[in-house]
Structures are given as structure tokens and as C-alpha cells.
Amino acid sequence: MTALGTSSTVAVVGTGTMGQGIAQVALVAGHRVLLYDTAPGRAAQAAGAIGSRLDRLVEKGRISADARDAARASLSPATALAELAGAALVIEAILEQLPAKQELFTALEGIVTADCLLATNTSSLSVTAVAGRLRHPGRCVGLHFFNPAPLLPLVEVISGFATDEAAATTAYDTAAAWGKQPVRCADTPGFIVNRVARPFYAEALRVYEERVADPATIDAVLREGTGFKMGPFELTDLIGQDVNEAVTHSVWQAFFQDAKFTPSLAQRRLVESGLHGRKAGRGWFDYSEGAPRPEPRTAEPCPAPASVGLYGKLPGPAAVLRELIEEAGIKVTGDRTPGAAEGFLRLPGGVRLALTNGCPATTPAQEKCIRFDLSLDYRAATRIALAASAAVSEEDLAEAVGLFQALGKQVSVIEDAPGMIVARTVAMIIDFAVDAAARGVATPEDIDTAMRLGVNYPGGPMEWVERLGARWVGDLLDSMHHQNAGGRYVPSSALRRRADLEDLVL
């Protein structure tokens, strides 16, 4: 272990929510902590706020009164930057403005000792650029905590182009000693979480812009259909639309306006209107007192069919549907079709019911087809989205709705669109993750850890590609690219290589 000992002083510059949270983490871990802010009196106010939070931890039995008293005694506001001279680690949590961070670290370099570690908590700026003006940039590392820092376990440890390996290791081990789960990451736009998570927001916004479904329905399908803790619209309202949009725009610009990272015009208009989410009282949803929350689109109860045909094998997680259908008392017939390209169900009225594959349900041949959306766990899912082709009648659609209702699922019927909601979102997240791993941004294990702990995903995307298969994901994205030319859905070369390797093994 090369973690800083508790006898080492930690300084935090910037006393907003994140700065206070990081200071609290270091205090509880046993360090002496100095707080500094350029605004007069702000550091003292922050110290008082931290003390109040420590009191609440005592009330909840999380820490002892003695530990609280020791932490309070170890916390000191600084009135000048020069007072940080004895710190072994300085963590900045100031505004996300590169010139301001560069100016701060340049000033600190003339104050602190030669072996003092300088860390930036930036969520979207280049660590390499932050350290670019330093005489000794090797001591600068990214320590990206997630808000609220005292509660969320993940810390991304980012090595800039010039960061010394020893500095990154000390930062990693120190975060671990503080009870956090650190992951290592190269200095690329968005690091791990803000890079790989972009499709979770972007695809939901695109689905909304395409008028496939409303925000409440999109949220419900992702939340109840596959286990995300919050839907993208309610989550961005919580984060702040201005904050989320700024990160999206920053990552897009940093990737030279790559189509895969294109921001949403709908979100831009929301931000321009001042509808920034919960903190503004309104974003995608109205948070004013007494305002009703919109309900997701949910189909009325329909009778279940007495039997369905199964032809071929349903792909990936959908294979369990046969068991669920039989457990619901519905007879399953068929079971094989020679040469079938994909497994599907046949409803009594003749409709083909199949997992979305990136193509719309409507075909030039006007086949009667209904697509159902992906779930990572159909047994646990409580909501499924359906999309019908133009040839499907109301009676045909009712049979499909009744089938899934008999399995204990609520059903949201959405407009016909390639990839529907969950499938396109999960496929894009997987593609981003596989690409990041191939480019050495982080290890597959660290990517999965970051996505589970940083944004509370129901699993890691590198795990998902193992379950779904890279070929299935790549084919779905290829189909979507055929429907939406422009480059957004072109599978990464890393995903294509992985799919080719799967084919060789099979």
C-alpha cells in the first residue's frame, strides 16, 4: 500500500457540495483537512455545514461522538492559499473551467512541497490539460468522486498523459484506504462513466424526438423492463438538465463532434427555457407542490391466447419466455423451423411476435409482425414495450398484449421504431464499453465496476455483451445504421472483432 497515512494533511479547494463531501470523506478517514475557497468566509461556512452533517451521522449511529469530535477538531478553514503549504494532497473541486483549474494548480506548485500530490475532481475536462502548465505535471492526477461523495463508493483515478505511475498508485490506494472503490482510467473524454453512460440519456432523448414514446413511458420501460434504478428523464431532472447537457456537449466537442455523441436539441431547448429539473421546480416533469406526475402509457387488460407457436430459439435472455409462457398455463407448440434466421412466436391470429432486432416491425412485404423490446431479465421484468407493424389489427395487438399480461407484465405499446427503447440503449452502451476497453481506457472489470457503482446500473455492460452476444448486438446496430445513416449506430471496430471471434468459436 502506498496510501497516504492519516498523519498527512489533505487540503480541499472549492467548498461547494462536492468539495464539502470530499473533505468529509477525508476527515472520517482520519486526516487533518484544510478547506479553502476564494470567496471570503465561504470556507468557514462549509466547515460549519460539515460539522452539522457529522452531528447527523452520530444521531444515526453511523459514527461515534468521539469520532465526530476528532473529525471536527481536524477540520480547519484556510483564509489564504499559502496556508496549504504543508498538505500532502490537494484536491480541487472548483468550477469546470480549464483556465481556472490551471491557474490554481500553477499557484499551488509554488506553495506546496515537491512531493505533494495535486488532484483534480474534474468530471469532463482533460487531466492532461489541467496539468499542462505545471513544471512537474507528473504529480497531477484525476480523482473523480461522484455526488454525494460521502455516500457513493466509486472514485475514478485518471492518469493524464504525463502523470507518474507512482502518483496514480498513491491516489488509487488512498481512495481505497478511505473506504472507496477506485477504478483506474486513461485520460479520455468522459473517463469511464460519463463516456459509457452517454447513450442512456442520448437514446432516450432520440426516442422522444422521434415521437416513439413520451418521457414517462420511456422511463418506465427502462426502469421496470430491465432494472435501471431511474429512467433517463427523471435522472437528468435530478442531475440538472444544464449539468447533464453541459457534460454531453463537452464530451461531444472533445471527440471532435463524433455523431455517436451528438447532443439533443430537445434538451438544449429545455435548458434554454430555464427548465433545469428539480432544482428549478420543473424539467421534463413538473415538481411544483401538488403537481401530478404523468403516468406511463399502459395497455388495458386483454385476454391471453390459449396457445402460441414457438419457432426456432428465441435469442439471448428472451429464451426464458418459453418457460414463463408455460408456467402461465399457455400451451406452446411448434418448437422448430428449419433454417429459421431468428426464433419467434406465432400468435393464434397469425401474427409473428419477435424480439426487436434493430429493424422496424413494418416491412415492405406488410407482414403482420409485432416486435417486443429487450429485457436483461424477462423473469424479473414488470413492463414490456411492444411495437406493431402497419398490417397488425387491434385484435392482433390485443393477443400480444394479453400474452405478456398473462406473464405478469404491464405492457406499453409504442410507435414502431428501429431498436425500440431498451434494445437500442443497451446495445449502444455495450458498444461504447467494448470500444473503451479495446482502446485501453480501462479494464473490462473496471468498466463494469464503474457503471454499477457510479450510475447504479443493474449490471456491467461487459457482462451484458457476454450474455447477449457481440454478434446480436452488432447486427442490431448494423440494422439501425441502415435505418438511420449518419454514423451514430455504426458498430465500433472492437465490437465487430469481438463478434467475428464469437463466430469462430461457435
Side-chain angles (χ1 to χ4, degrees), residues 278-498:
R278 287 182 179 271
K279 61 187 177 184
R282 186 178 170 189
W284 292 109
F285 306 113
D286 188 347
Y287 298 94
S288 59
E289 187 175 354
R293 283 294 297 273
E295 294 295 325
R297 189 187 306 170
T298 304
E300 294 294 325
C302 296
S307 65
V308 297
L310 172 62
Y311 300 92
K313 182 180 179 182
L314 296 174
V320 76
L321 286 175
R322 174 174 186 149
E323 293 178 21
L324 297 179
I325 292 169
E326 291 177 332
E327 288 169 10
I330 298 171
K331 185 178 180 180
V332 179
T333 62
D335 201 34
R336 62 183 177 274
T337 293
E342 63 174 357
F344 63 93
L345 298 165
R346 184 74 74 181
L347 297 174
V351 171
R352 179 187 181 109
L353 181 61
L355 175 64
T356 181
N357 62 357
C359 296
T362 300
T363 63
Q366 288 296 294
E367 179 187 16
K368 294 172 69 173
C369 176
I370 298 174
R371 293 283 180 185
F372 60 88
D373 207 349
L374 174 70
S375 173
L376 296 169
D377 186 347
Y378 283 96
R379 187 173 287 279
T382 58
R383 183 178 295 271
I384 297 293
L386 300 180
S389 71
V392 169
S393 68
E394 290 294 326
E395 292 75 15
D396 293 329
L397 183 57
E399 283 189 336
V401 170
L403 173 64
F404 280 102
Q405 287 175 339
L407 308 186
K409 320 300 181 188
Q410 296 196 80
V411 177
S412 292
V413 179
I414 64 175
E415 298 302 314
D416 187 16
M420 302 184 72
I421 297 173
V422 177
R424 69 196 283 177
T425 301
V426 167
M428 287 290 281
I429 291 172
I430 288 172
D431 188 49
F432 277 36
V434 170
D435 180 61
R439 293 176 184 272
V441 173
T443 65
E445 295 76 17
D446 275 358
I447 289 171
D448 278 356
T449 297
M451 302 315 291
R452 285 196 306 268
L453 299 183
V455 277
N456 216 5
Y457 278 9
M462 302 303 291
E463 297 172 355
W464 296 343
V465 74
E466 291 286 345
R467 293 172 57 194
L468 294 171
R471 174 58 62 200
W472 185 85
V473 175
D475 286 350
L476 182 139
L477 291 175
D478 268 330
S479 296
M480 292 199 63
H481 172 60
H482 180 73
Q483 303 291 327
N484 301 271
R488 183 185 183 95
Y489 299 107
V490 175
S492 65
S493 58
L495 185 65
R496 291 190 189 277
R497 288 196 301 270
R498 189 177 180 118

Side-chain angles (χ1 to χ4, degrees), residues 38-394:
T38 55
R42 188 74 59 81
Q45 292 174 3
I50 294 170
S52 297
R53 281 198 291 275
L54 293 173
D55 288 339
R56 288 194 291 273
L57 290 177
V58 172
E59 292 169 3
K60 295 177 180 179
R62 304 275 180 84
I63 62 173
S64 67
D66 287 344
R68 184 261 325 270
D69 294 343
R72 275 185 160 175
S74 298
L75 178 61
S76 304
T79 56
L81 201 63
E83 295 177 37
L84 311 186
L89 167 63
V90 180
I91 306 174
E92 70 80 14
I94 63 175
L95 294 174
E96 283 288 89
Q97 296 176 358
L98 179 59
K101 292 179 188 292
Q102 290 176 326
E103 183 180 348
L104 170 64
F105 280 131
T106 300
L108 281 168
E109 194 172 36
I111 294 170
V112 298
T113 60
D115 58 351
C116 176
L117 187 63
L118 302 178
T120 173
N121 183 57
T122 183
S123 61
S124 60
L125 298 176
S126 164
V127 174
T128 301
V130 171
R133 295 184 181 177
L134 295 177
R135 296 190 304 275
H136 304 289
R139 66 160 87 184
C140 186
V141 65
L143 269 180
H144 180 213
F145 289 77
F146 288 75
N147 193 31
L151 297 180
L152 293 186
L154 184 70
V155 176
E156 291 177 324
V157 181
I158 305 105
S159 291
F161 185 78
T163 301
D164 292 335
E165 177 60 26
T169 299
T170 297
Y172 182 97
D173 290 344
T174 298
W178 291 357
K180 297 301 182 181
Q181 176 59 67
V183 292
R184 287 182 178 267
C185 178
D187 186 20
T188 57
F191 311 135
I192 301 175
V193 172
N194 279 329
R195 174 181 180 146
V196 177
R198 301 277 37 100
F200 183 68
Y201 314 111
E203 289 310 303
L205 289 162
R206 179 66 71 94
V207 169
Y208 167 76
E209 290 173 338
E210 293 170 357
R211 293 297 185 262
V212 175
D214 60 276
T217 299
I218 296 168
D219 276 359
V221 169
L222 283 161
R223 192 177 57 241
E224 301 167 28
T226 207
F228 289 100
K229 299 301 180 185
M230 296 181 74
F233 291 95
E234 59 187 340
L235 180 55
T236 52
D237 269 356
L238 178 63
I239 294 169
Q241 296 300 331
D242 53 335
V243 174
N244 183 261
E245 200 257 356
V247 172
T248 297
H249 196 271
S250 174
V251 172
W252 175 61
Q253 291 283 19
F255 276 111
F256 307 105
Q257 301 185 1
D258 188 325
K260 288 179 178 287
F261 297 91
T262 302
S264 162
L265 181 59
Q267 187 177 40
R268 177 94 287 267
R269 292 291 178 259
L270 201 70
V271 172
E272 289 173 339
S273 300
L275 305 179
H276 295 170
R278 287 182 179 271
K279 61 187 177 184
R282 186 178 170 189
W284 292 109
F285 306 113
D286 188 347
Y287 298 94
S288 59
E289 187 175 354
R293 283 294 297 273
E295 294 295 325
R297 189 187 306 170
T298 304
E300 294 294 325
C302 296
S307 65
V308 297
L310 172 62
Y311 300 92
K313 182 180 179 182
L314 296 174
V320 76
L321 286 175
R322 174 174 186 149
E323 293 178 21
L324 297 179
I325 292 169
E326 291 177 332
E327 288 169 10
I330 298 171
K331 185 178 180 180
V332 179
T333 62
D335 201 34
R336 62 183 177 274
T337 293
E342 63 174 357
F344 63 93
L345 298 165
R346 184 74 74 181
L347 297 174
V351 171
R352 179 187 181 109
L353 181 61
L355 175 64
T356 181
N357 62 357
C359 296
T362 300
T363 63
Q366 288 296 294
E367 179 187 16
K368 294 172 69 173
C369 176
I370 298 174
R371 293 283 180 185
F372 60 88
D373 207 349
L374 174 70
S375 173
L376 296 169
D377 186 347
Y378 283 96
R379 187 173 287 279
T382 58
R383 183 178 295 271
I384 297 293
L386 300 180
S389 71
V392 169
S393 68
E394 290 294 326

